Amino acid sequence: MQNDDKFASFKRKLDEIIKDIGIRELIINEKEIIKFCELINDNNEIYYNNSEAKKSGFEGKLVPPGYIMNLTNPYIQKIFIKGGAEFFPGLIKGVIHVGSKIKYFKPMIMDKKFKIKIENSEPVEKSGEKGSYYSVIIKLSILDQEDTVYAIDNHEFFFKLN
Amino acid sequence: MSNSLKNLEVGDTLPINRVKIDSKIYKKYNRLINEINPLHFNKKYAQKLGFEDIVVAGNFNYTFIPKWIIDWTGIVDSIKEIKITFEKPVYINEEIIHSGRIKDIYVKNNEKIAICEFNVKKINGQQVYHGKIKLLIEP
C-alpha cells in the first residue's frame, strides 16, 4: 500500500471509530475509586465522606482529580479494540501516549451522572529520529446531563504507520 | 485559603515529592482498571519492544501530580490545568521525584493564577516527564 493510501485508510478508520464511540454514559464506580485511593495512599476525606465534602462547600463526595485519566482510559482503549486487526497489525506499527493536557472546570461530584464525549484532531505528520509519524490528539470531554463541561482530557498520541 | 497559596511568590519551590512505584501496588492498579496493553504488565512483551522492564502507564504516573499539589495546597479544586509530557519510561519498582517551581503569577478575569513548572526525575537524575500546572490561588 502506498504511503498516501495508508494514511487515508488510517484517517478514515480513526474518524469512523471516534464517530462510532461518540458520546457515552460515563460510569463512575465509587468502590473502584475508593480502592484506587487506598492504592495510592490518598486519605483525603473529601473522596470518602459526604459530610466532610459538604463541610468543605461541595455538594457531595468528589472524584479525585488524579483519577480522571482512569475515567477516560476505557474510551481510549475502545479505539484500539474497535480498530482490531485493521489497526494492529494492519495499518499501525506502534503508538505511544506522549502527553496530556487536562483542564478542570468544576469538581466532579461522585453521585452525579456524567457523560463522556470523544473527538479527534486531524493527524499531523511529523518526523523524528525514527522516521515519520502522525500526531493525533484525542479529546475526551466530561459533561453533565445539561452539557456543562467538568473536565477535558486532551491525550496526545504518536502513531507510526506500517 | 491555604497559607501555602496566600503567600505564594514567583520563584517559590514546591515541596519535593517522592513516589516508589511498587510492583505489587501497580499490579493491583492494573487489575482495578482492566489494563489491556501488555506493555504495562508483561515483562517479556515490554522487553521485546526494547524496554528494560514493565512500563508504568502514563495514567498511573499522572495520578501522583494532582495528589502532590492537593496535599501541598489543601484545596481539592485549586487545580485548573495540568499539562504533562512523557519523555522516558518509568519502570516498576523505580522511585521518582517530583519537583516544581512557581514561574508566574497573574490575574485574569478576576482570578489570581499561578503557573508552576514541574519535572519528574528518577533517583539517578534522569528526567522522565515534565509539565505545567495552572493553579487558582484566589477566586
Side-chain angles (χ1 to χ4, degrees):
Chain A
M1 202 190 263
Q2 298 286 340
N3 285 342
D4 288 346
D5 292 338
K6 269 188 239 173
F7 171 70
S9 296
F10 164 66
K11 185 180 169 330
R12 176 194 51 78
K13 186 71 187 174
L14 182 65
D15 287 346
E16 201 177 278
I17 291 170
I18 299 287
K19 193 176 173 190
D20 187 47
I21 298 171
I23 300 179
R24 299 274 174 117
E25 185 195 352
L26 181 64
I27 313 290
I28 304 216
N29 185 322
E30 189 173 330
K31 282 186 186 159
E32 199 173 277
I33 291 178
I34 289 171
K35 276 190 195 161
F36 166 80
C37 287
E38 286 168 359
L39 279 181
I40 64 161
N41 211 23
D42 196 338
N43 306 313
N44 195 327
E45 286 288 323
I46 274 178
Y47 311 135
Y48 296 91
N49 188 317
N50 261 330
S51 312
E52 283 301 317
K54 285 175 183 178
K55 264 191 224 167
S56 300
F58 301 106
E59 290 170 31
K61 287 177 293 196
L62 298 185
V63 175
Y67 194 72
I68 189 165
M69 280 203 199
N70 299 309
L71 291 175
T72 58
N73 192 50
Y75 302 92
I76 299 280
Q77 287 183 345
K78 272 193 204 310
I79 297 171
F80 298 109
I81 292 169
K82 281 179 174 288
E86 190 179 345
F87 254 14
F88 288 106
L91 288 162
I92 300 168
K93 189 173 185 176
V95 60
I96 55 169
H97 173 203
V98 293
S100 280
K101 188 190 225 176
I102 318 279
K103 292 185 179 193
Y104 297 94
F105 295 94
K106 288 172 72 103
M108 290 176 65
I109 311 300
M110 197 94 68
D111 296 334
K112 203 171 164 69
K113 284 195 190 307
F114 293 98
K115 52 190 178 182
I116 188 162
K117 179 178 170 186
I118 187 166
E119 299 163 276
N120 61 296
S121 66
E122 281 292 302
V124 173
E125 188 171 11
K126 296 192 175 200
S127 49
E129 285 172 13
K130 298 190 180 179
S132 68
Y133 53 93
Y134 291 92
S135 162
V136 177
I137 294 178
I138 308 291
K139 179 182 176 185
L140 302 114
S141 307
I142 297 177
L143 316 134
D144 66 11
Q145 302 304 305
E146 287 77 45
D147 289 345
T148 300
V149 180
Y150 278 66
I152 297 177
D153 172 3
N154 286 301
H155 247 62
E156 186 177 11
F157 288 97
F158 286 169
F159 286 90
K160 186 145 182 76
L161 302 189
N162 276 316
Chain B
M1 174 184 300
S2 150
N3 282 333
S4 312
L5 295 187
K6 229 190 292 190
N7 304 318
L8 212 53
E9 287 182 358
V10 173
D12 283 353
T13 55
L14 274 63
I16 298 286
N17 184 44
R18 299 173 85 105
V19 177
K20 171 90 187 276
I21 312 290
D22 181 274
S23 58
K24 285 188 186 149
I25 289 181
Y26 189 59
K27 210 171 171 176
K28 287 183 184 174
Y29 169 80
N30 277 337
R31 273 205 297 269
L32 189 67
I33 60 139
N34 298 314
E35 178 60 71
I36 61 168
N37 187 345
L39 181 63
H40 302 312
F41 56 78
N42 188 314
K43 184 170 179 169
K44 279 197 179 128
Y45 180 87
Q47 286 176 332
K48 219 164 123 181
L49 292 183
F51 296 100
E52 288 172 27
D53 203 333
I54 290 168
V55 176
V56 178
N59 300 350
F60 189 66
N61 286 321
Y62 175 81
T63 284
F64 296 102
I65 304 291
K67 182 181 182 298
W68 171 41
I69 299 300
I70 292 166
D71 284 349
W72 169 55
T73 64
I75 304 172
V76 173
D77 58 345
S78 57
I79 302 172
K80 294 290 121 186
E81 186 178 298
I82 297 178
K83 185 173 193 307
I84 186 168
T85 301
F86 302 113
E87 298 173 56
K88 296 278 181 207
V90 176
Y91 299 113
I92 52 163
N93 294 319
E94 284 191 318
E95 189 172 346
I96 52 176
I97 303 164
H98 301 89
S99 60
R101 184 182 292 273
I102 303 298
K103 284 308 231 186
D104 193 13
I105 296 177
Y106 59 85
V107 176
K108 187 176 177 181
N109 301 329
N110 294 322
E111 290 181 332
K112 196 170 181 186
I113 305 282
I115 302 293
C116 165
E117 285 182 356
F118 70 91
N119 60 58
V120 183
K121 295 183 179 181
K122 296 189 190 184
I123 295 287
N124 64 8
Q126 184 189 51
Q127 184 158 300
V128 287
Y129 49 98
H130 69 273
K132 266 190 200 169
I133 302 165
K134 207 183 260 185
L135 277 178
L136 175 66
I137 56 177
E138 245 179 82

mmCIF file with all atom_site columns, all heavy atoms in Angstrom, chain B residues 48-62:
data_model
loop_
_atom_site.group_PDB
_atom_site.id
_atom_site.type_symbol
_atom_site.label_atom_id
_atom_site.label_alt_id
_atom_site.label_comp_id
_atom_site.label_asym_id
_atom_site.label_entity_id
_atom_site.label_seq_id
_atom_site.pdbx_PDB_ins_code
_atom_site.Cartn_x
_atom_site.Cartn_y
_atom_site.Cartn_z
_atom_site.occupancy
_atom_site.B_iso_or_equiv
_atom_site.pdbx_formal_charge
_atom_site.auth_seq_id
_atom_site.auth_comp_id
_atom_site.auth_asym_id
_atom_site.auth_atom_id
_atom_site.pdbx_PDB_model_num
ATOM 1   N N   . LYS B 1 48 ? 10.561 -7.205  24.462 1.00 0.00 ? 48 LYS B N   1
ATOM 2   C CA  . LYS B 1 48 ? 10.537 -7.435  23.001 1.00 0.00 ? 48 LYS B CA  1
ATOM 3   C C   . LYS B 1 48 ? 10.443 -6.099  22.260 1.00 0.00 ? 48 LYS B C   1
ATOM 4   O O   . LYS B 1 48 ? 10.948 -5.949  21.146 1.00 0.00 ? 48 LYS B O   1
ATOM 5   C CB  . LYS B 1 48 ? 9.302  -8.277  22.659 1.00 0.00 ? 48 LYS B CB  1
ATOM 6   C CG  . LYS B 1 48 ? 9.542  -9.330  21.589 1.00 0.00 ? 48 LYS B CG  1
ATOM 7   C CD  . LYS B 1 48 ? 8.432  -10.350 21.603 1.00 0.00 ? 48 LYS B CD  1
ATOM 8   C CE  . LYS B 1 48 ? 7.757  -10.456 20.254 1.00 0.00 ? 48 LYS B CE  1
ATOM 9   N NZ  . LYS B 1 48 ? 6.649  -11.430 20.245 1.00 0.00 ? 48 LYS B NZ  1
ATOM 10  N N   . LEU B 1 49 ? 9.764  -5.148  22.897 1.00 0.00 ? 49 LEU B N   1
ATOM 11  C CA  . LEU B 1 49 ? 9.624  -3.826  22.282 1.00 0.00 ? 49 LEU B CA  1
ATOM 12  C C   . LEU B 1 49 ? 10.817 -2.910  22.582 1.00 0.00 ? 49 LEU B C   1
ATOM 13  O O   . LEU B 1 49 ? 10.818 -1.748  22.186 1.00 0.00 ? 49 LEU B O   1
ATOM 14  C CB  . LEU B 1 49 ? 8.331  -3.131  22.776 1.00 0.00 ? 49 LEU B CB  1
ATOM 15  C CG  . LEU B 1 49 ? 7.015  -3.752  22.328 1.00 0.00 ? 49 LEU B CG  1
ATOM 16  C CD1 . LEU B 1 49 ? 5.842  -2.914  22.819 1.00 0.00 ? 49 LEU B CD1 1
ATOM 17  C CD2 . LEU B 1 49 ? 6.940  -3.842  20.806 1.00 0.00 ? 49 LEU B CD2 1
ATOM 18  N N   . GLY B 1 50 ? 11.783 -3.446  23.300 1.00 0.00 ? 50 GLY B N   1
ATOM 19  C CA  . GLY B 1 50 ? 13.003 -2.670  23.537 1.00 0.00 ? 50 GLY B CA  1
ATOM 20  C C   . GLY B 1 50 ? 13.074 -1.979  24.888 1.00 0.00 ? 50 GLY B C   1
ATOM 21  O O   . GLY B 1 50 ? 13.986 -1.205  25.146 1.00 0.00 ? 50 GLY B O   1
ATOM 22  N N   . PHE B 1 51 ? 12.101 -2.269  25.749 1.00 0.00 ? 51 PHE B N   1
ATOM 23  C CA  . PHE B 1 51 ? 12.119 -1.666  27.082 1.00 0.00 ? 51 PHE B CA  1
ATOM 24  C C   . PHE B 1 51 ? 12.822 -2.595  28.066 1.00 0.00 ? 51 PHE B C   1
ATOM 25  O O   . PHE B 1 51 ? 12.932 -3.789  27.833 1.00 0.00 ? 51 PHE B O   1
ATOM 26  C CB  . PHE B 1 51 ? 10.689 -1.363  27.556 1.00 0.00 ? 51 PHE B CB  1
ATOM 27  C CG  . PHE B 1 51 ? 9.986  -0.348  26.703 1.00 0.00 ? 51 PHE B CG  1
ATOM 28  C CD1 . PHE B 1 51 ? 9.078  -0.746  25.731 1.00 0.00 ? 51 PHE B CD1 1
ATOM 29  C CD2 . PHE B 1 51 ? 10.236 1.009   26.863 1.00 0.00 ? 51 PHE B CD2 1
ATOM 30  C CE1 . PHE B 1 51 ? 8.444  0.191   24.928 1.00 0.00 ? 51 PHE B CE1 1
ATOM 31  C CE2 . PHE B 1 51 ? 9.602  1.948   26.067 1.00 0.00 ? 51 PHE B CE2 1
ATOM 32  C CZ  . PHE B 1 51 ? 8.712  1.533   25.092 1.00 0.00 ? 51 PHE B CZ  1
ATOM 33  N N   . GLU B 1 52 ? 13.280 -2.003  29.158 1.00 0.00 ? 52 GLU B N   1
ATOM 34  C CA  . GLU B 1 52 ? 14.038 -2.800  30.139 1.00 0.00 ? 52 GLU B CA  1
ATOM 35  C C   . GLU B 1 52 ? 13.134 -3.719  30.948 1.00 0.00 ? 52 GLU B C   1
ATOM 36  O O   . GLU B 1 52 ? 13.533 -4.793  31.379 1.00 0.00 ? 52 GLU B O   1
ATOM 37  C CB  . GLU B 1 52 ? 14.748 -1.867  31.134 1.00 0.00 ? 52 GLU B CB  1
ATOM 38  C CG  . GLU B 1 52 ? 15.924 -1.111  30.537 1.00 0.00 ? 52 GLU B CG  1
ATOM 39  C CD  . GLU B 1 52 ? 16.465 -0.061  31.518 1.00 0.00 ? 52 GLU B CD  1
ATOM 40  O OE1 . GLU B 1 52 ? 16.307 -0.243  32.742 1.00 0.00 ? 52 GLU B OE1 1
ATOM 41  O OE2 . GLU B 1 52 ? 17.031 0.934   31.038 1.00 0.00 ? 52 GLU B OE2 1
ATOM 42  N N   . ASP B 1 53 ? 11.925 -3.245  31.200 1.00 0.00 ? 53 ASP B N   1
ATOM 43  C CA  . ASP B 1 53 ? 11.031 -3.971  32.107 1.00 0.00 ? 53 ASP B CA  1
ATOM 44  C C   . ASP B 1 53 ? 9.607  -3.498  31.816 1.00 0.00 ? 53 ASP B C   1
ATOM 45  O O   . ASP B 1 53 ? 9.365  -2.754  30.845 1.00 0.00 ? 53 ASP B O   1
ATOM 46  C CB  . ASP B 1 53 ? 11.416 -3.662  33.562 1.00 0.00 ? 53 ASP B CB  1
ATOM 47  C CG  . ASP B 1 53 ? 10.970 -4.720  34.559 1.00 0.00 ? 53 ASP B CG  1
ATOM 48  O OD1 . ASP B 1 53 ? 9.968  -5.430  34.302 1.00 0.00 ? 53 ASP B OD1 1
ATOM 49  O OD2 . ASP B 1 53 ? 11.621 -4.840  35.615 1.00 0.00 ? 53 ASP B OD2 1
ATOM 50  N N   . ILE B 1 54 ? 8.655  -3.895  32.654 1.00 0.00 ? 54 ILE B N   1
ATOM 51  C CA  . ILE B 1 54 ? 7.260  -3.440  32.524 1.00 0.00 ? 54 ILE B CA  1
ATOM 52  C C   . ILE B 1 54 ? 7.239  -1.916  32.654 1.00 0.00 ? 54 ILE B C   1
ATOM 53  O O   . ILE B 1 54 ? 7.813  -1.348  33.588 1.00 0.00 ? 54 ILE B O   1
ATOM 54  C CB  . ILE B 1 54 ? 6.397  -4.088  33.622 1.00 0.00 ? 54 ILE B CB  1
ATOM 55  C CG1 . ILE B 1 54 ? 6.259  -5.589  33.331 1.00 0.00 ? 54 ILE B CG1 1
ATOM 56  C CG2 . ILE B 1 54 ? 5.038  -3.421  33.725 1.00 0.00 ? 54 ILE B CG2 1
ATOM 57  C CD1 . ILE B 1 54 ? 5.675  -6.389  34.475 1.00 0.00 ? 54 ILE B CD1 1
ATOM 58  N N   . VAL B 1 55 ? 6.587  -1.263  31.695 1.00 0.00 ? 55 VAL B N   1
ATOM 59  C CA  . VAL B 1 55 ? 6.500  0.192   31.679 1.00 0.00 ? 55 VAL B CA  1
ATOM 60  C C   . VAL B 1 55 ? 5.260  0.639   32.458 1.00 0.00 ? 55 VAL B C   1
ATOM 61  O O   . VAL B 1 55 ? 4.162  0.154   32.200 1.00 0.00 ? 55 VAL B O   1
ATOM 62  C CB  . VAL B 1 55 ? 6.429  0.715   30.222 1.00 0.00 ? 55 VAL B CB  1
ATOM 63  C CG1 . VAL B 1 55 ? 6.240  2.218   30.196 1.00 0.00 ? 55 VAL B CG1 1
ATOM 64  C CG2 . VAL B 1 55 ? 7.691  0.329   29.456 1.00 0.00 ? 55 VAL B CG2 1
ATOM 65  N N   . VAL B 1 56 ? 5.468  1.550   33.370 1.00 0.00 ? 56 VAL B N   1
ATOM 66  C CA  . VAL B 1 56 ? 4.335  2.075   34.140 1.00 0.00 ? 56 VAL B CA  1
ATOM 67  C C   . VAL B 1 56 ? 3.537  3.014   33.236 1.00 0.00 ? 56 VAL B C   1
ATOM 68  O O   . VAL B 1 56 ? 4.106  3.893   32.577 1.00 0.00 ? 56 VAL B O   1
ATOM 69  C CB  . VAL B 1 56 ? 4.846  2.837   35.382 1.00 0.00 ? 56 VAL B CB  1
ATOM 70  C CG1 . VAL B 1 56 ? 3.688  3.436   36.165 1.00 0.00 ? 56 VAL B CG1 1
ATOM 71  C CG2 . VAL B 1 56 ? 5.666  1.904   36.264 1.00 0.00 ? 56 VAL B CG2 1
ATOM 72  N N   . ALA B 1 57 ? 2.225  2.822   33.186 1.00 0.00 ? 57 ALA B N   1
ATOM 73  C CA  . ALA B 1 57 ? 1.368  3.624   32.308 1.00 0.00 ? 57 ALA B CA  1
ATOM 74  C C   . ALA B 1 57 ? 1.375  5.095   32.696 1.00 0.00 ? 57 ALA B C   1
ATOM 75  O O   . ALA B 1 57 ? 1.426  5.431   33.885 1.00 0.00 ? 57 ALA B O   1
ATOM 76  C CB  . ALA B 1 57 ? -0.060 3.093   32.343 1.00 0.00 ? 57 ALA B CB  1
ATOM 77  N N   . GLY B 1 58 ? 1.279  5.936   31.699 1.00 0.00 ? 58 GLY B N   1
ATOM 78  C CA  . GLY B 1 58 ? 1.230  7.378   31.929 1.00 0.00 ? 58 GLY B CA  1
ATOM 79  C C   . GLY B 1 58 ? 0.094  7.760   32.857 1.00 0.00 ? 58 GLY B C   1
ATOM 80  O O   . GLY B 1 58 ? 0.226  8.669   33.683 1.00 0.00 ? 58 GLY B O   1
ATOM 81  N N   . ASN B 1 59 ? -1.039 7.050   32.717 1.00 0.00 ? 59 ASN B N   1
ATOM 82  C CA  . ASN B 1 59 ? -2.208 7.335   33.562 1.00 0.00 ? 59 ASN B CA  1
ATOM 83  C C   . ASN B 1 59 ? -1.864 7.196   35.043 1.00 0.00 ? 59 ASN B C   1
ATOM 84  O O   . ASN B 1 59 ? -2.316 7.987   35.865 1.00 0.00 ? 59 ASN B O   1
ATOM 85  C CB  . ASN B 1 59 ? -3.337 6.347   33.279 1.00 0.00 ? 59 ASN B CB  1
ATOM 86  C CG  . ASN B 1 59 ? -3.795 6.404   31.844 1.00 0.00 ? 59 ASN B CG  1
ATOM 87  O OD1 . ASN B 1 59 ? -3.411 7.292   31.103 1.00 0.00 ? 59 ASN B OD1 1
ATOM 88  N ND2 . ASN B 1 59 ? -4.612 5.456   31.460 1.00 0.00 ? 59 ASN B ND2 1
ATOM 89  N N   . PHE B 1 60 ? -1.091 6.163   35.362 1.00 0.00 ? 60 PHE B N   1
ATOM 90  C CA  . PHE B 1 60 ? -0.745 5.915   36.762 1.00 0.00 ? 60 PHE B CA  1
ATOM 91  C C   . PHE B 1 60 ? 0.246  6.976   37.244 1.00 0.00 ? 60 PHE B C   1
ATOM 92  O O   . PHE B 1 60 ? 0.116  7.515   38.344 1.00 0.00 ? 60 PHE B O   1
ATOM 93  C CB  . PHE B 1 60 ? -0.163 4.504   36.929 1.00 0.00 ? 60 PHE B CB  1
ATOM 94  C CG  . PHE B 1 60 ? 0.028  4.094   38.372 1.00 0.00 ? 60 PHE B CG  1
ATOM 95  C CD1 . PHE B 1 60 ? -1.070 3.913   39.205 1.00 0.00 ? 60 PHE B CD1 1
ATOM 96  C CD2 . PHE B 1 60 ? 1.299  3.906   38.898 1.00 0.00 ? 60 PHE B CD2 1
ATOM 97  C CE1 . PHE B 1 60 ? -0.908 3.539   40.540 1.00 0.00 ? 60 PHE B CE1 1
ATOM 98  C CE2 . PHE B 1 60 ? 1.471  3.533   40.226 1.00 0.00 ? 60 PHE B CE2 1
ATOM 99  C CZ  . PHE B 1 60 ? 0.367  3.348   41.053 1.00 0.00 ? 60 PHE B CZ  1
ATOM 100 N N   . ASN B 1 61 ? 1.219  7.298   36.412 1.00 0.00 ? 61 ASN B N   1
ATOM 101 C CA  . ASN B 1 61 ? 2.186  8.330   36.772 1.00 0.00 ? 61 ASN B CA  1
ATOM 102 C C   . ASN B 1 61 ? 1.492  9.675   36.992 1.00 0.00 ? 61 ASN B C   1
ATOM 103 O O   . ASN B 1 61 ? 1.822  10.414  37.905 1.00 0.00 ? 61 ASN B O   1
ATOM 104 C CB  . ASN B 1 61 ? 3.236  8.486   35.669 1.00 0.00 ? 61 ASN B CB  1
ATOM 105 C CG  . ASN B 1 61 ? 4.224  7.347   35.658 1.00 0.00 ? 61 ASN B CG  1
ATOM 106 O OD1 . ASN B 1 61 ? 4.631  6.860   36.710 1.00 0.00 ? 61 ASN B OD1 1
ATOM 107 N ND2 . ASN B 1 61 ? 4.624  6.906   34.476 1.00 0.00 ? 61 ASN B ND2 1
ATOM 108 N N   . TYR B 1 62 ? 0.523  9.956   36.149 1.00 0.00 ? 62 TYR B N   1
ATOM 109 C CA  . TYR B 1 62 ? -0.203 11.223  36.226 1.00 0.00 ? 62 TYR B CA  1
ATOM 110 C C   . TYR B 1 62 ? -0.902 11.405  37.575 1.00 0.00 ? 62 TYR B C   1
ATOM 111 O O   . TYR B 1 62 ? -0.945 12.500  38.144 1.00 0.00 ? 62 TYR B O   1
ATOM 112 C CB  . TYR B 1 62 ? -1.235 11.314  35.093 1.00 0.00 ? 62 TYR B CB  1
ATOM 113 C CG  . TYR B 1 62 ? -2.093 12.557  35.209 1.00 0.00 ? 62 TYR B CG  1
ATOM 114 C CD1 . TYR B 1 62 ? -1.633 13.789  34.757 1.00 0.00 ? 62 TYR B CD1 1
ATOM 115 C CD2 . TYR B 1 62 ? -3.356 12.509  35.806 1.00 0.00 ? 62 TYR B CD2 1
ATOM 116 C CE1 . TYR B 1 62 ? -2.400 14.943  34.887 1.00 0.00 ? 62 TYR B CE1 1
ATOM 117 C CE2 . TYR B 1 62 ? -4.130 13.658  35.943 1.00 0.00 ? 62 TYR B CE2 1
ATOM 118 C CZ  . TYR B 1 62 ? -3.646 14.867  35.483 1.00 0.00 ? 62 TYR B CZ  1
ATOM 119 O OH  . TYR B 1 62 ? -4.416 16.001  35.622 1.00 0.00 ? 62 TYR B OH  1
#
